[in-house]
Every structure is written in structure tokens, then in C-alpha cells.
Amino acid sequence: MKTLAALALGLAGVSLAHAQSPALPKGWTVDRVVVVMRHGVRPPTKAVPLPAGTAADPWPAWPVEPGYLTPHGAAAIALAGDYDRSAFVAARLLPATGCPRAGQVRVIADSDERTIATAAAYVTALTPACTQPIAHAPQDVPDARFSPVGEGGTPIDPALAAAAVRDAVGPAGLAGVEAGVKPILERIDAILCGAAKTGCGIATTPTAIVPATATSRPKLKGALDRGSTAAQILLLEYADGKPMAEVGWGRATPADITRASALHALEFRLLARPTYLAARNSAGLAPLIADALRSDAPGAPAIVAISGHDTNVASLAALFDLHWSVPGFATDDPAPGGAIVLERLTDRTGQHRIRIRYRAPTLDQIRNLTGLNRSNIYDRAASPTPCIADAALGCPMAQVLSALTASR
């Protein structure tokens, strides 16, 4: 897949943590924006999130069904929507008062309750007192745009998938990967087990890869899989504002949560960010994004907001080799409500450029429902030097579109 990597602009990995979003150059305007967002805070997707006996104590209760957006999660999404509204009004993509014209804003969501509810919370804040339709399949009816492999729209070559995972794992193998995060796994065991010393935990279960098939992506099983799940549960408990006595049964600190988040990011590094797999995973959404960026049709949406999942965000990021370090999360772990934002810039002659940003509330901002503004939110522009002369202008649109269309 070296050809795809070349089409993907040859972007060097750029840490967004060190690049403040630059000012718009004179003579250029932002006239199209695509927001690809992870849904907001939810409970675990299963009532018993890990096998019986993994944890020594009962799991904390949640106010909604497994996998649904929580009220706290909806409130945090609304804050992100309010922040984006301010930016879009300043760019004249939205009116300062009143409602946008019909079709000016397009909202698309996956068919899970949490993605539909996230889209609703977001667009309500984005266009207050206005009614905006949300395009989605019926709830819980699979949508191949968000799961192109699992729903059969995009087949996987198992041999190419296996090679991509092997490259990501590296020469030390899974045992070496697991050894590198052993202290994190052991700390998660201490949180899961408490005073119990035997019969619980995850660290002693060897990690393996469940190979891809033509209709299914590769998956982890064993310690790294369960560690990623446990890390995400702890993070979501904290993000939802639960008392610390209920976060990891009172045994987890904020520092533990941030450190454990590396296991969730590691799962994406192995299974979602390899170029071949990222292309397969993005094959459903990439055409939507490309069409939104290049459309000059009368009445075309100025803003397209897509409410999906962490895998969608991680896979899209991999097409452009984007990286981020949001406070409270491990590097590259997609934050609830965090989004890749693609901006189309146009000058007076009709030339187009694309800037790409990662925008997300910090973990404590989600927990505390802190109001978001330019001085406190994590909002960084990618500046991939191989394709630009000026970081403020991003990349030539043709190169961005090539990366997106190559993923089909």
C-alpha cells in the first residue's frame, strides 16, 4: 500500500500539540467545513463489560442503557457545538442571528443511539432554536458508511490485513508489545481487583490477534483487548462526572486514567491506523467528505457534520498521518466529542486549499462541563510540510482528494 501512502500527501507525522491553529492568510476565506466527530460519553456497550470475575466488585451503575449517550455526555457535546458555532459564525459559514438557509448545514449520523443523540445535541447547539434534519439509518440498522467492512460494502484481503498488522506490531511481536505496557496492565489489575489477589484481572491472559476475514476486521483478544476495554471504561466513568469513589471503585486516579488511555490508543495503532486497514475502514465516509469539500453546486452545504465512532476518527487520521495529544488522554486516543475538522480555503481566483485540525475538549473539561473557547480548548492545525509553502494554507485540495478517493 505504498501507493496509497504517497497519495496521502506523504504527510510526516505532525504532533498537533505544538502547532497553534494559524491565522487565515489575507485574501482567503473558509467556505466549506467537514467535521468528523466521535460520539459523546456513553456507558460500556454491554451490561457486563468484561467477563465475569475480571473485576472483584460490581460495576458502577449508569443512568442510561448500555452504549447510549448519557445526559452528561450530551451536555459536553453541546459545549463543543457552541464552540464550533462561534468559529463558524466568525468565518461567515453561519449567520450570527437567525437560522441558516435550508441545506446550509448537513448532519449525518451512524445508526447507534449514541451517534444519533450526539448529532442532535451538537446541531442544537450549532443552530439554536432552528430545526435541522439528521440523516441516519433507522436506529440499530447497520450503516455501511460507518462500518464498510463489517457490513459487506468493502471487502478485506486477509493476507494484506495480516501483513499490515504484523508491520504495526513490529519485530518483537505481540509479546514485545505487551511487555512494553506491562506496568499499565498491572495497574489496571490493581484497580479491577482491589484487595483481591487472585481470580480477577486481565494481565495474565496472553494477547492474540483474531485474523481478518473478507467481511471482518482483525481484532485483539486477551490482555491488550481487555486492557483497552477496561481503560476506556475508567475514562468514561471519569468523563461522565461520577464521584471519584465510583471511578474504578475509588481506586483510580486521574493520572491512572490518562496512563491507561494508552492501551486504547495502542489498539487503534495496531488495528485502525495501518494504511491498508485505515483505507478499508474509511471507504464509506471518505466519498462523503471528498464530495463535501469539492462541491461548488448552488445550495451545497457549507457545513457537513458527521457523528461516528472512535474507529472512524482514528482511521481517517491515519490517511493523513495526523496525531494529537489532548490533555487527559494518551497521544492519539480519540476523545469523546473530539473531531477532525477539514476546512476548504478559497481565494479570489477560485483556488482551493484544505486545512486539517483536531478539535477536542480536554478530559477535565468534559468531566466538569467547562465552557470552551479559543484560550482553553485543544484545537490544533496540522501543518504537513511536504505539501505546503505556508502552514496557514494547508494542502492543495487535489492532493487531499487523492488521499480520500484512494481509500475507496
Side-chain angles (χ1 to χ4, degrees):
M1 294 302 294
K2 291 183 179 179
T3 300
L4 176 60
L7 284 171
L9 316 181
L11 303 187
V14 178
S15 173
L16 305 190
H18 303 295
Q20 186 67 35
S21 183
L24 192 66
K26 185 177 180 180
W28 292 81
T29 60
V30 177
D31 62 355
R32 295 283 186 274
V33 172
V34 179
V35 180
V36 183
M37 174 172 43
R38 184 192 176 186
H39 60 74
V41 177
R42 56 156 177 82
T45 56
K46 300 176 183 177
V48 181
L50 286 168
T54 301
D57 300 300
W59 294 94
W62 290 79
V64 295
E65 294 183 42
Y68 279 36
L69 185 71
T70 66
H72 188 102
I77 291 294
L79 292 173
D82 185 64
Y83 170 83
D84 285 354
R85 172 178 169 76
S86 296
F88 297 160
V89 168
R92 299 185 178 179
L93 297 170
L94 286 175
T97 59
C99 295
R101 62 167 170 79
Q104 189 170 354
V105 177
R106 184 185 183 199
V107 185
I108 304 166
D110 195 10
S111 55
D112 295 306
E113 188 279 343
R114 60 186 174 274
T115 46
I116 298 169
T118 291
Y122 179 78
V123 76
T124 298
L126 195 69
T127 60
C130 305
T131 300
Q132 298 291 340
I134 299 171
H136 61 84
Q139 185 174 324
D140 300 327
V141 174
D143 187 335
R145 295 175 298 180
F146 292 86
S147 303
V149 174
E151 302 313 318
T154 302
I156 274 188
D157 182 320
L160 291 177
V165 173
R166 280 197 303 272
D167 286 347
V169 168
L174 281 174
V177 173
E178 192 173 309
V181 293
K182 183 179 179 181
I184 302 176
L185 293 170
E186 291 176 343
R187 179 59 191 145
I188 287 179
D189 271 4
I191 294 168
L192 290 170
C193 298
K197 301 300 181 184
T198 60
C200 66
I202 58 169
T204 60
T205 307
T207 299
I209 298 287
V210 179
T213 69
T215 57
S216 65
R217 297 178 293 163
K219 297 179 181 178
L220 289 173
K221 66 177 182 179
L224 291 181
D225 172 52
R226 294 181 181 180
S228 173
T229 299
Q232 188 66 180
I233 293 169
L234 295 174
L235 186 146
L236 292 168
E237 289 174 354
Y238 183 83
D240 203 51
K242 290 183 179 296
M244 289 305 296
E246 296 181 21
V247 177
W249 303 276
R251 298 189 284 267
T253 68
D256 287 330
I257 291 164
T258 299
R259 193 178 182 207
S261 171
L263 297 178
H264 198 233
L266 174 61
E267 182 177 5
F268 290 122
R269 182 177 71 78
L270 298 179
L271 302 182
R273 279 185 168 265
T275 303
Y276 176 75
L277 294 171
R280 301 297 86 199
N281 292 340
S282 300
L285 292 179
L288 293 176
I289 298 167
D291 289 347
L293 291 174
R294 67 176 155 226
S295 178
D296 286 314
I303 300 166
V304 175
I306 300 173
S307 174
H309 304 273
D310 44 13
T311 299
N312 301 130
V313 172
S315 298
L316 180 63
L319 294 183
F320 302 105
D321 198 18
L322 303 181
H323 301 275
W324 52 81
S325 297
V326 180
F329 299 86
T331 298
D332 293 343
D333 193 10
I340 294 173
V341 181
L342 299 97
E343 302 173 308
R344 188 179 84 171
L345 279 57
T346 302
D347 72 359
R348 296 185 183 95
T349 70
Q351 293 186 80
H352 298 310
R353 307 279 295 198
I354 305 295
R355 295 196 308 190
I356 307 175
R357 300 186 283 115
Y358 186 75
R359 182 274 294 149
T362 69
L363 183 57
D364 279 336
Q365 286 172 340
I366 299 172
R367 176 177 174 82
N368 299 322
L369 297 179
T370 307
L372 305 175
N373 56 59
R374 286 288 296 158
S375 67
N376 68 12
I377 194 172
Y378 185 95
D379 189 352
R380 300 290 187 269
S383 300
T385 54
C387 70
I388 61 172
D390 183 345
L393 284 175
C395 300
M397 188 169 76
Q399 291 179 284
V400 173
L401 295 179
S402 292
L404 291 168
T405 55
S407 72
R408 297 190 187 189

